Amino acid sequence: MTLFYQEAGTKDGPLMLFIHGGGVSSWMWEKQMQYFSQYHCVAIDLPEQGKSNHTALFSIKYSAERAIEVIEKIANNKTIIVIGFSLGAQVAIQMLSSKPNLIHYAIINSALVRPNSLAKKFVKPTVKLTSPLIKNKAFSKLQAKTLYVDKEYFETYYKESSFMKSDTLVRILEENMSFELPKDFHKAKGKILVTVGERERSIMKKSAKDIIANNSNCSGIMLPNVGHGISLMNPDFFNQMVEQWITTGQLPDGKIIK
């Protein structure tokens, strides 16, 4: 079943595919879709999320297969750039591993690749306890703040959160916490930029190091004074960073990850 996706920019430009994080959908990339007007921008909604909420059950592997399907449908031999955040970055890693020659540039933002079996055990009971809170606007505003979702997008975020089934949320969180680097990741041929925020959890920073250590085409940067969500927190900086890296290979100021 095909995923929902929206397009922007010019169909004559390189293909730039955006993959959102968990708990949001393709709207999180609106500022990027506006900025990269010389590219053929495509933002997908992952299974069971956004406007793909009636597709098959979510898994990272299934999402990667469907995202590759979208690329193969519309790429027409273009340069292909994939940008993923958090859950979407895990999907991007799976795509790179499944089709090592498909993607020319990948930006992996805040991808967890160290499975957390202890935390996974608490997903179902925690979701059961907190799911009634999701429909509470005050609680949602607190959640939105941690994800850098501002007033402009809050109503969209709140509406999608309220409609998400608890079973879907459990699936997303369990997949996120179980994900590890696929064995074929080292075969990916494209250039890969790995980013993590300085204020993110240590497991995220260790994950960034793991990704870089497993593919010689990776370069990595720790972004100063940033938590989980650079593209929403500071879209102007993020857009310029991506553009500069793709066109010149230059990295922004920050601690180089080795």
Side-chain angles (χ1 to χ4, degrees):
M1 194 176 285
T2 307
L3 298 178
F4 169 84
Y5 61 88
Q6 52 180 311
E7 299 175 87
T10 172
K11 290 190 177 179
D12 296 327
L15 180 66
M16 189 175 273
L17 182 85
F18 296 94
I19 313 176
H20 64 82
V24 292
S25 61
S26 55
W27 57 261
M28 77 163 279
W29 299 112
E30 188 176 350
K31 295 285 198 295
Q32 284 70 43
M33 301 277 274
Q34 291 166 359
Y35 181 85
F36 289 103
S37 57
Q38 292 175 297
Y39 293 79
H40 181 187
C41 294
V42 177
I44 62 173
D45 283 357
L46 292 171
E48 294 194 272
Q49 295 159 78
K51 291 180 180 172
S52 294
N53 59 346
H54 298 302
T55 57
L57 301 182
F58 175 82
S59 78
I60 288 170
K61 195 172 179 187
Y62 177 75
S63 299
E65 288 167 359
R66 297 287 75 79
I68 287 169
E69 194 178 78
V70 170
I71 289 175
E72 290 177 337
K73 179 182 170 186
I74 61 179
N76 297 323
N77 299 315
K78 295 177 180 182
T79 297
I80 295 164
I81 301 144
V82 172
I83 300 173
F85 165 64
S86 194
L87 187 72
Q90 293 173 316
V91 172
I93 288 170
Q94 185 66 52
M95 291 167 72
L96 288 161
S97 308
S98 303
K99 287 263 177 143
N101 299 306
L102 180 69
I103 297 161
H104 302 96
Y105 296 91
I107 294 95
I108 306 295
N109 304 286
S110 302
L112 179 65
V113 297
R114 291 196 168 199
N116 191 336
S117 54
L118 183 63
K120 187 183 168 185
K121 285 180 184 175
F122 293 101
V123 167
K124 275 185 185 173
T126 303
V127 168
K128 200 171 183 181
L129 281 171
T130 58
S131 57
L133 286 171
I134 291 168
K135 292 181 172 63
N136 179 299
K137 267 205 171 175
F139 177 79
S140 255
K141 279 179 181 173
L142 287 173
Q143 290 290 97
K145 196 174 179 182
T146 65
L147 291 167
Y148 302 112
V149 175
D150 61 19
K151 288 178 185 175
E152 185 181 355
Y153 298 110
F154 175 72
E155 288 302 326
T156 304
Y157 167 75
Y158 176 65
K159 185 180 175 185
E160 286 187 356
S161 298
S162 299
F163 279 109
M164 186 177 281
K165 295 171 186 170
S166 59
D167 286 352
T168 299
L169 185 54
V170 167
R171 261 189 294 281
I172 289 168
L173 290 170
E174 287 186 342
E175 281 281 304
N176 170 255
M177 290 176 184
S178 305
F179 187 71
E180 57 189 328
L181 277 174
K183 61 179 174 58
D184 289 334
F185 177 67
H186 70 281
K187 295 179 182 176
K189 296 289 191 290
K191 292 182 178 177
I192 302 166
L193 175 61
V194 180
T195 76
V196 67
E198 184 185 37
R199 293 179 179 170
E200 295 205 62
R201 293 176 298 146
S202 64
I203 196 170
M204 301 303 293
K205 295 171 187 175
K206 288 171 184 172
S207 289
K209 285 189 172 186
D210 291 347
I211 298 164
I212 292 159
N214 277 276
N215 189 302
S216 58
N217 298 322
C218 287
S219 50
I221 189 90
M222 189 182 297
L223 303 170
N225 304 311
V226 172
H228 193 67
I230 178 61
S231 60
L232 283 169
M233 176 192 174
N234 193 340
D236 291 340
F237 168 81
F238 180 81
N239 297 343
Q240 287 160 24
M241 174 188 76
V242 168
E243 185 173 47
Q244 194 170 50
W245 178 73
I246 290 169
T247 54
T248 70
Q250 192 177 336
L251 293 173
D253 290 338
K255 184 180 178 183
I256 301 294
I257 304 169
K258 293 177 182 176

